[in-house]
Amino acid sequence: MHGKMGGHPGHMNRTSMDFNENPFIVIWEVTRACELKCVHCRADAQLRRDPNELTTKEGFELIDQIYEMNKPMLVFTGGDCMMREDLFELAEYAVQKGMRVSMTPSATANVTKEKMERAKSVGLSRWGLSLDGPTPEIHDHFRGTSGSFDLTVEKIHYLNELDMPLQINTVISRYNYDHLEQMAELVKDLKAVMWYIFLLVPTGRGQQDACLTPLEHEKVFKWLYELGKKAPFDIKTTAAQHYRRVVLQQKVKDKLVAGDKIEYQDTIVRDAASGIDGLSRAPKGVNDGNGFIFVSHTGDVLPSGLLPIKVGNVREKPLKDIYRHAPVLKELRNPDLYKGKCGVCEYRFVCGGSRSRTYAVTGDYLESEPYCVYIPKELRGKKAAL
């Protein structure tokens, strides 16, 4: 998570946030309906809306509950959130309460210029669209729908005409790993203000053989760090918590190359864990269930959409009670409980590894991130002693 620093509304002191009490961001999957057939789909989306979705009234009540948790950022997602007729009614309600609201619809015929204009008039802070390759061949294969690339670019041009801030979402996997340079150029050409990168998690329709190797993850992170120095857009990562560790390591190297005197690296790690370093737009090591929470279309609460463990339902208990007291979430917020090398890593409070990928691969959300090459100092010392 690195790039130019942008400002979120000042309703939160990022360095003093207590993730045991409130999340930094809430993702609400307003529907699971979607017309696309993405090969990696987390939600295993369906063509029709579920009759058991949260109603409009329940949606207003959920927004009230989210607001009471120190007004975290709220993102409407899906499926395709445009499949809900009351989407803008819900968004307007949240915006009028003073919340920062974004949405990530699928680029289909449902996304019209009129709806984009409505989103702008409602006061949405950003619109996110997915592009997973720099060419129609790559993107359309990934999205399982012919013509998706051209349609997405068309919608982006609409957004540019409306001067609506654009976020481009990209899932990095085996399908596009060799095309990242071209992808970065496209993001620049399309005038995105943020490139939101997801490292594939093998859940839902996502398959483990489509994931990058640990070494390839590391190469991508170092490339992103260098790109962030010159790109005209911000860069943010999801399911790539070890990018934080790479950023800190590269910052130290940059200082050494420049001939600057630096304090011991542990001090840099400590400061970053306190939110001092300005490592990302989000404070500290936001992770599944730790500053981040997901509400499904039927009200189920999960640590994230990529970590499919139900910890409660907002129809049965207020979101704040679930977030603060669910045993699984309390464990996820304690990096000292992590196992293996993550449990002894000096970066565990900054990084913590992707808990969702760990769960998908090992079946244990407290195990070590399986796609990280880093060997913690403590383990290196033990190896040397042997």
Side-chain angles (χ1 to χ4, degrees):
M1 297 181 176
H2 177 65
K4 297 179 181 62
M5 298 303 298
H8 285 312
H11 61 259
M12 293 178 287
N13 182 343
R14 290 195 264 174
T15 62
S16 63
M17 285 188 68
D18 182 357
F19 290 160
N20 292 304
E21 291 294 312
N22 300 309
F24 178 74
I25 185 169
V26 177
I27 308 292
W28 177 17
E29 174 195 66
V30 294
T31 184
R32 193 162 280 189
C34 184
E35 296 176 353
L36 300 181
K37 305 178 184 66
C38 305
V39 297
H40 69 288
C41 183
R42 163 206 62 78
D44 198 12
Q46 311 300 317
L47 286 175
R48 293 178 178 82
R49 290 179 57 186
D50 187 332
N52 198 37
E53 285 176 3
L54 295 179
T55 65
T56 303
K57 181 176 181 294
E58 288 174 321
F60 289 150
E61 292 170 353
L62 175 59
I63 291 169
D64 287 340
Q65 292 180 30
I66 296 170
Y67 173 83
E68 291 171 0
M69 300 176 75
N70 201 21
K71 291 196 295 185
M73 287 186 287
L74 174 59
V75 178
F76 294 113
T77 188
D80 179 7
C81 53
M82 283 290 166
M83 299 285 278
R84 277 194 71 130
E85 293 83 359
D86 61 355
L87 178 65
F88 291 109
E89 190 178 351
L90 293 166
E92 187 170 27
Y93 182 76
V95 170
Q96 288 179 349
K97 291 177 74 72
M99 300 175 67
R100 182 180 174 87
V101 182
S102 299
M103 64 173 62
T104 59
S106 301
T108 69
N110 291 323
V111 179
T112 63
K113 194 168 186 179
E114 290 71 28
K115 288 183 179 178
M116 291 179 180
E117 291 171 343
R118 175 81 189 277
K120 184 174 183 178
S121 66
V122 163
L124 260 70
S125 60
R126 182 171 298 157
W127 191 296
L129 288 172
S130 293
L131 269 178
D132 295 297
T135 65
E137 291 75 18
I138 297 172
H139 175 83
D140 290 0
H141 169 73
F142 204 64
R143 291 285 154 182
T145 306
S146 179
S148 177
F149 179 89
D150 291 337
L151 190 60
T152 302
V153 171
E154 175 187 297
K155 305 305 179 186
I156 288 174
H157 288 322
Y158 284 169
L159 290 172
N160 287 336
E161 289 177 20
L162 293 171
D163 200 26
M164 182 84 174
L166 165 69
Q167 170 181 308
I168 290 180
N169 304 327
T170 301
V171 178
I172 294 180
S173 70
R174 184 65 47 215
Y175 298 101
N176 57 11
Y177 173 66
D178 294 325
H179 304 275
L180 297 182
E181 291 283 357
Q182 302 100 299
M183 192 64 217
E185 282 299 315
L186 180 60
V187 173
K188 175 183 175 181
D189 292 343
L190 293 176
K191 302 177 182 178
V193 298
M194 175 178 282
W195 192 15
Y196 201 157
I197 291 173
F198 299 75
L199 273 294
L200 183 65
V201 172
T203 189
R205 295 181 196 151
Q207 299 298 310
Q208 193 166 342
D209 60 5
C211 293
L212 304 185
T213 67
L215 183 57
E216 287 169 338
H217 274 77
E218 197 79 358
K219 289 180 178 178
V220 168
F221 296 152
K222 290 181 179 178
W223 175 77
L224 285 174
Y225 175 77
E226 294 301 324
L227 177 65
K229 294 178 181 179
K230 59 186 179 183
F233 46 80
D234 294 328
I235 298 171
K236 191 174 185 298
T237 59
T238 285
Q241 280 76 4
H242 36 323
Y243 178 45
R244 294 173 174 270
R245 184 256 309 161
V246 169
V247 168
L248 289 174
Q249 290 176 316
Q250 295 302 116
K251 282 178 176 287
V252 170
K253 288 182 180 179
D254 286 351
K255 288 179 180 291
L256 290 174
V257 168
D260 295 339
K261 291 184 178 180
I262 62 171
E263 297 181 25
Y264 189 54
Q265 189 167 347
D266 283 354
T267 303
I268 296 174
V269 173
R270 181 203 66 208
D271 288 348
S274 301
I276 296 171
D277 185 72
L279 184 59
S280 74
R281 289 170 168 270
K284 296 199 280 185
V286 174
N287 209 325
D288 306 293
N290 186 36
F292 187 106
I293 201 69
F294 180 94
V295 182
S296 82
H297 62 298
T298 57
D300 286 341
V301 180
L302 315 175
S304 80
L306 298 168
L307 207 174
I309 298 178
K310 178 181 173 180
V311 297
N313 188 289
V314 297
R315 283 173 164 149
E316 301 165 0
K317 187 180 293 187
L319 182 61
K320 65 180 179 182
D321 291 344
I322 298 171
Y323 180 82
R324 294 171 183 173
H325 304 300
V328 169
L329 299 181
K330 292 174 78 171
E331 287 187 336
L332 286 167
R333 291 195 288 265
N334 185 358
D336 286 333
L337 294 179
Y338 295 167
K339 301 174 184 178
K341 67 178 186 179
C342 277
V344 298
C345 184
E346 61 271 27
Y347 292 96
R348 65 188 179 278
F349 292 97
V350 180
C351 165
S354 169
R355 296 296 97 206
S356 55
R357 185 180 297 105
T358 296
Y359 180 75
V361 174
T362 71
D364 184 348
Y365 53 80
L366 294 177
E367 264 297 347
S368 281
E369 160 69 67
Y371 287 81
C372 177
V373 301
Y374 184 69
I375 304 299
K377 286 194 329 184
E378 182 173 326
L379 295 184
R380 293 201 302 268
K382 289 181 179 179
K383 185 175 181 181
L386 295 174

